[in-house]
């Protein structure tokens, strides 16, 4: 029997029992939909994380004083770390909490004082929107959220003066100090990231940090490894030197941690989805057994008209496969939409989802970055093929049983 | 096409019980002959018809169609034989309820390598010929018993069979329709030389046959020959 005729025959039989066919199809829809949705969403999420980490610099290692550490992060520490093999560059910095006046209200920001010429080694993704990096101590380069506040208040333009209010310690007293900078450059929007949030940061030359804090002790040190493969050795070397007196965080390690968490969550959810595929398998098989049973007489009629066991097998197998195919098709379409919904639900707030926030930085208005699910043709075709295969496999036993019926016995069935 | 039965036995087993349905039937039906099989309920007449139609296999003995021993054929060859040479007509019509008259008539040809358009054309023509030209898109539930049986006859005829086997084909239809169906079958027998084997309870139906086999308790009780009956009904 020609394949097209078999499909037509099977379709006619499905149409005859619409409600049951629809329910069976819906039963198989859930598995592929969930698989496409989850894999698409987690891959999109993973890709977006990777992209951000790449901007952050996968060779960057953050070294900060440990909790209640007595370690003074001074030039001695900088020199010691510089001597670790394969360290490309060591960049000490001051991270100063400050507020700026934005419209009628004040806004928390960070002032990071560092050797500005080395900014790109730490954050490869950073670039200027306009202007230039500071040349003088009175100059600053500002993040895009400071230049163009998200709350709609008036921003700051190039060569304007931006005044900041800084809490600084003089002896044992905390004193509010005002400090103004000329904006020499404005950064392009960077997006949410870890430890440094360039969009809400004012970068100033390192000399300012010393004068503002009045100390030689840095807030932390950025260490840049020569290659990504050197990162863990350097990380270990620093830990060996200072133990718990420092906190060492490598961007690449964070990335692989997040990715492995992301992957495990995805694996758990997808395995749940596979359970639903097994349920669908049993569902199709049950429906097909019922269908074969109900159509015993029809099988007898077809056999009396000369349909061979193979023809009968084909007709019922086509019906089961068609059920699987329709379920799979609806499933992957539904799943594609669903993956956008999942991202919208969990990933809309950028990386806030992970609960990570730059230390010493308030929860500023997060510039929501759009994460797009990654739905590859391989994912769609693979999932669809799985649904088709499930349908065919589930139909095999009932169809085989139909094909083996003795014509006269089947005909006598009422 | 001739049908020969040689000492055919059929025993049904169910739950450890053996029920003999046929106990040694031997007969010879000539090509182009019109015969009827009569007998009380449970006499084994339908069983015999099913064996002649290759729908079932005898427990013992042999059935030959056109000289071919059916016991030598596998299920696929038997299916092909049914499709190519034999047409069935049943008491309950056995039409597929979800299909229209036209679709039902097409069914036997769908497994053959014939273009769709040709099949449709053939089915339409045969339905017209059996007098159902304006009923082709009706499903069986919208047709009378006589009309349904005509659809079934059209379905049997579309394969151009050499043998038509009828299992009480007029059992569910009224007297008037019975005669028109029987005249149709008689016409097919005489004009197309199709061998007719009809199982019936009805003496009026049996009157159309050249020979009538009377069966009781699985054996042939007697054979009645109506030598000139065909002439009587052909006018």
């Amino acid at each position: 029997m020609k394949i097209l005729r078999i499909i037509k025959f099977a379709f006619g039989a499905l149409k005859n029992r619409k409600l049951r066919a629809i329910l069976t199809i819906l039963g198989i829809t859930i598995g592929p939909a969930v698989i496409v949705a989850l894999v698409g969403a987690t891959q999109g999420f993973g890709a977006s994380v990777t992209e951000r980490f790449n901007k952050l610099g996968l060779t960057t290692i953050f070294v900060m004083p440990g909790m209640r550490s007595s370690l003074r992060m001074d030039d001695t520490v900088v020199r010691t770390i510089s001597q670790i093999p394969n360290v490309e560059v060591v960049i000490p910095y001051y991270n100063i909490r400050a507020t700026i006046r934005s419209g009628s209200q004040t806004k928390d920001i960070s002032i990071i004082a560092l050797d500005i010429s080395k900014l790109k080694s730490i954050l490869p993704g950073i670039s200027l929107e306009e202007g230039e990096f500071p040349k003088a101590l009175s100059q600053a380069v500002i993040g895009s959220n400071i230049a163009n506040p998200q709350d709609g208040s008036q921003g700051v333009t190039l060569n304007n003066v931006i005044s900041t209010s800084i809490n600084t310690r003089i002896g044992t007293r905390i004193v509010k100090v005002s400090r103004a900078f000329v904006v020499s450059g404005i950064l392009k929007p960077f997006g949410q990231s870890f430890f440094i949030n360039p969009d809400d940061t004012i970068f100033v030359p390192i000399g300012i940090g010393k004068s503002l804090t009045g100390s030689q002790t840095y807030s932390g040190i950025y260490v840049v490894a020569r290659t990504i493969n050197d990162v863990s050795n350097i990380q270990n070397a620093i830990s060996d030197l200072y133990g718990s007196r420092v906190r060492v965080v490598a961007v690449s390690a964070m990335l692989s941690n997040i990715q492995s968490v992301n992957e495990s969550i995805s694996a758990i959810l997808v395995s749940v989805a596979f359970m639903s595929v097994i349920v669908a398998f049993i569902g199709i098989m049950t429906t097909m057994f019922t269908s074969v049973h109900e159509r015993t007489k029809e099988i007898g009629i077809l056999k009396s008209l000369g349909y061979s066991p193979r023809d009968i097998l084909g007709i019922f197998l086509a019906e089961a496969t068609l059920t699987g195919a329709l379920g799979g098709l609806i499933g992957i379409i539904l799943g594609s939409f669903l993956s956008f919904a999942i991202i919208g639900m969990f990933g809309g707030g950028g990386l806030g989802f992970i609960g990570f926030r730059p230390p010493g930085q308030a929860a500023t208005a997060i510039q929501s970055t759009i994460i797009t699910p990654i739905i590859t043709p391989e994912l769609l075709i693979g999932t669809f093929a799985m649904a088709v295969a499930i349908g065919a496999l589930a139909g095999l036993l009932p169809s085989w049983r139909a094909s083996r019926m003795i014509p006269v016995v089947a005909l006598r069935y009422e | 096409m001739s049908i020969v039965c040689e000492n055919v036995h059929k025993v049904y087993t169910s739950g450890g019980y053996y029920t003999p349905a046929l106990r040694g039937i031997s007969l010879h039906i000539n090509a182009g002959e019109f015969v009827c099989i009569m007998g009380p309920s449970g006499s084994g007449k339908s069983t015999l018809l099913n064996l002649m139609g290759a729908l079932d296999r005898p427990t013992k003995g042999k059935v030959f169609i056109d000289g071919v021993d059916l016991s030598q054929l596998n299920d696929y060859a038997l299916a092909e034989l049914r499709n190519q040479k034999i047409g069935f007509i049943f008491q309950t019509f056995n039409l597929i309820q979800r299909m229209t008259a036209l679709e039902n008539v097409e069914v036997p040809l769908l497994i053959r390598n014939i273009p769709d358009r040709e099949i449709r054309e053939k089915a339409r023509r045969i339905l017209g010929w059996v007098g159902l030209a304006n009923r082709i898109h009706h499903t069986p539930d919208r047709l009378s018993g006589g009309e349904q049986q005509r659809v079934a006859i059209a379905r049997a005829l579309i394969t151009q069979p050499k043998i038509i086997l009828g299992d009480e084909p007029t059992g569910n239809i009224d007297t008037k329709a019975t005669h028109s169906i029987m005249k149709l079958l008689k016409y097919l027998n005489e004009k197309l030389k199709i061998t007719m084997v009809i199982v019936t309870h009805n003496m009026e139906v049996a009157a159309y046959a050249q020979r009538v086999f009377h069966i009781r308790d699985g054996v042939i009780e007697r054979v009645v020959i109506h030598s000139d009956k065909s002439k009587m009904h052909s006018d």
Side-chain angles (χ1 to χ4, degrees):
Chain A
M1 199 170 176
K2 285 183 190 166
I3 189 87
L4 211 68
R5 281 185 191 156
I6 293 178
I7 292 169
K8 223 173 119 185
F9 204 106
F11 199 74
L14 283 179
K15 235 171 64 183
N16 193 46
R17 289 172 179 77
K18 267 194 203 98
L19 182 63
R20 188 197 301 163
I22 289 169
L23 289 176
T24 314
I25 288 167
L26 280 183
I28 200 170
T29 297
I30 295 161
V34 173
I35 289 170
V36 168
L38 290 178
V39 173
T42 49
Q43 280 189 354
F45 186 73
S48 136
V49 170
T50 308
E51 191 200 318
R52 277 171 221 206
F53 276 89
N54 281 332
K55 271 168 98 178
L56 203 54
L58 287 172
T59 50
T60 305
I61 302 164
F62 297 90
V63 182
M64 289 152 288
M67 291 291 189
R68 285 190 290 274
S69 166
S70 57
L71 179 74
R72 287 174 57 84
M73 276 223 170
D74 54 15
D75 288 326
T76 321
V77 177
V78 172
R79 254 191 314 275
T80 312
I81 293 177
S82 311
Q83 277 151 20
I84 296 171
N86 296 321
V87 168
E88 175 91 26
V89 61
V90 178
I91 307 156
Y93 68 94
Y94 294 96
N95 188 351
I96 304 149
R97 294 192 202 190
T99 54
I100 54 166
R101 196 166 287 284
S102 172
S104 59
Q105 45 194 296
T106 57
K107 190 176 162 189
D108 291 320
I109 54 141
S110 283
I111 296 175
I112 292 180
L114 80 174
D115 182 350
I116 287 196
S117 65
K118 289 173 180 161
L119 193 54
K120 259 194 132 58
S121 326
I122 311 163
L123 301 168
I126 213 159
S127 62
L128 280 169
E129 180 79 53
E130 53 181 332
E132 54 180 21
F133 286 111
K135 293 217 166 66
L137 283 182
S138 59
Q139 289 181 323
V141 60
I142 62 172
S144 64
N145 282 350
I146 296 173
N148 306 297
Q150 298 292 299
D151 57 16
S153 58
Q154 209 193 335
V156 184
T157 56
L158 210 59
N159 298 323
N160 272 12
V161 172
I162 185 165
S163 36
T164 63
S165 175
I166 300 156
N167 293 326
T168 188
R169 188 186 291 264
I170 295 177
T172 54
R173 288 193 313 144
I174 306 274
V175 184
K176 237 181 180 58
V177 175
S178 286
R179 182 80 201 214
F181 301 98
V182 175
V183 177
S184 73
I186 295 170
L187 294 171
K188 277 193 175 143
F190 188 83
Q192 178 69 17
S193 87
F194 302 89
F195 290 96
I196 308 179
N197 190 5
D199 293 345
D200 293 296
T201 301
I202 297 175
F203 292 97
V204 297
I206 185 106
I208 298 291
K210 281 179 192 158
S211 70
L212 278 180
T213 58
S215 93
Q216 287 293 323
T217 311
Y218 301 115
S219 306
I221 299 170
Y222 301 128
V223 179
V224 180
R226 217 172 284 272
T227 70
I228 195 165
N229 300 323
D230 302 319
V231 169
S232 65
N233 284 339
I234 294 170
Q235 213 180 343
N236 291 340
I238 296 171
S239 294
D240 288 348
L241 282 168
Y242 299 104
S244 65
R245 288 183 298 162
V246 293
R247 214 142 54 93
V248 185
V249 181
V251 170
S252 60
M254 285 198 308
L255 174 61
S256 59
N257 279 345
I258 290 173
Q259 277 177 337
S260 75
V261 168
N262 190 30
E263 276 160 21
S264 347
I265 291 173
S266 161
I268 292 166
L269 294 177
V270 169
S271 56
V272 171
F274 273 106
M275 306 269 183
S276 85
V277 170
I278 293 169
V279 174
F281 176 84
I282 296 167
I284 292 187
M285 199 184 256
T286 309
T287 310
M288 287 311 297
F289 268 125
T290 312
S291 178
V292 166
H293 183 74
E294 277 179 356
R295 284 155 68 195
T296 303
K297 181 106 185 175
E298 180 182 325
I299 294 164
I301 295 170
L302 293 176
K303 290 206 161 196
S304 77
L305 296 174
Y307 279 54
S308 70
R310 204 179 296 126
D311 293 325
I312 304 285
L313 186 85
I315 286 168
F316 282 92
L317 211 50
E319 205 176 304
T321 311
L322 204 61
T323 307
L326 287 173
L329 190 68
I330 298 169
I332 60 174
I333 294 169
L334 212 64
S336 304
F337 285 112
L338 210 59
S339 67
F340 281 92
I342 289 174
I343 294 267
M345 243 153 57
F346 297 110
L351 294 173
F353 172 46
I354 309 173
F356 228 102
R357 199 178 291 150
Q361 213 169 323
T364 50
I366 290 162
Q367 184 190 333
S368 66
T369 321
I370 293 152
I371 305 174
T372 336
I374 295 179
I375 297 163
T376 58
E378 289 88 346
L379 175 65
L380 294 180
I381 294 166
T383 310
F384 177 72
M386 180 196 70
V388 173
I390 289 296
L393 279 176
L396 213 51
L397 190 60
S399 308
W400 183 80
R401 208 177 254 193
S403 76
R404 301 315 307 172
M405 283 182 184
I406 298 167
V408 71
V409 175
L411 264 176
R412 218 182 288 133
Y413 186 86
E414 287 301 333
Chain B
M1 203 163 264
S2 65
I3 304 169
V4 176
C5 294
E6 266 182 23
N7 191 29
V8 167
H9 288 71
K10 181 70 188 179
V11 179
Y12 289 114
T13 49
S14 167
Y17 290 98
Y18 296 90
T19 317
L22 297 177
R23 299 184 300 166
I25 297 257
S26 295
L27 56 77
H28 188 121
I29 297 166
N30 296 314
E33 201 178 356
F34 195 133
V35 304
C36 275
I37 300 171
M38 293 191 82
S41 300
S43 59
K45 53 194 192 301
S46 289
T47 303
L48 179 61
L49 194 79
N50 290 335
L51 294 177
M52 290 193 236
L55 287 176
D56 206 355
R57 293 174 186 274
T59 313
K60 201 178 132 191
K62 283 179 175 176
V63 178
F64 298 83
I65 304 275
D66 203 21
V68 176
D69 181 358
L70 298 191
S71 68
Q72 299 300 309
L73 303 180
N74 65 16
D75 287 350
Y76 285 87
L78 290 183
E80 197 181 331
L81 177 84
R82 290 195 294 269
N83 187 252
Q84 304 279 340
K85 315 277 193 213
I86 302 171
F88 288 96
I89 313 169
F90 303 93
Q91 180 176 7
T92 52
F93 322 126
N94 283 350
L95 299 173
I96 297 174
Q97 294 300 314
R98 67 166 181 278
M99 296 184 177
T100 63
L102 191 65
E103 287 166 342
N104 264 293
V105 174
E106 288 174 351
V107 169
L109 290 190
L110 295 180
I111 52 173
R112 291 201 194 168
N113 200 10
I114 303 173
D116 286 357
R117 205 152 42 115
E118 201 176 308
I119 295 176
R120 179 129 299 191
E121 194 45 51
K122 242 180 181 158
R124 214 182 271 273
R125 209 171 51 234
I126 292 177
L127 276 168
W129 189 78
V130 298
L132 292 174
N134 54 355
R135 290 277 195 279
I136 58 173
H137 296 303
H138 286 44
T139 45
D141 55 349
R142 293 171 58 204
L143 297 171
S144 72
E147 286 171 330
Q148 288 190 60
Q149 198 58 291
R150 283 169 187 274
V151 175
I153 291 170
R155 181 178 67 184
L157 284 177
I158 198 168
T159 59
Q160 293 172 293
K162 300 288 183 289
I163 299 169
I164 285 182
L165 303 175
D167 193 355
E168 305 204 31
T170 58
N172 275 352
I173 52 187
D174 62 48
T175 317
K176 195 170 159 241
T178 294
H179 280 288
S180 86
I181 293 283
M182 289 315 295
K183 276 183 181 146
L184 183 58
L185 295 180
K186 189 74 191 165
Y187 177 86
L188 293 169
N189 170 250
E190 285 176 352
K191 289 290 182 287
L192 302 176
K193 306 287 176 232
I194 298 175
T195 309
M196 290 281 167
V197 183
I198 307 294
V199 166
T200 186
H201 271 118
N202 188 336
M203 287 304 290
E204 290 181 45
V205 168
Y208 285 85
Q210 292 161 310
R211 278 196 294 168
V212 180
F213 294 90
H214 289 265
I215 292 184
R216 182 181 286 272
D217 297 331
V219 293
I220 297 174
E221 202 178 36
R222 61 200 163 93
V223 181
V224 177
I225 300 168
H226 304 161
S227 53
D228 52 351
K229 278 285 153 70
S230 63
K231 283 186 189 113
M232 246 178 65
H233 282 282
S234 59
D235 44 34

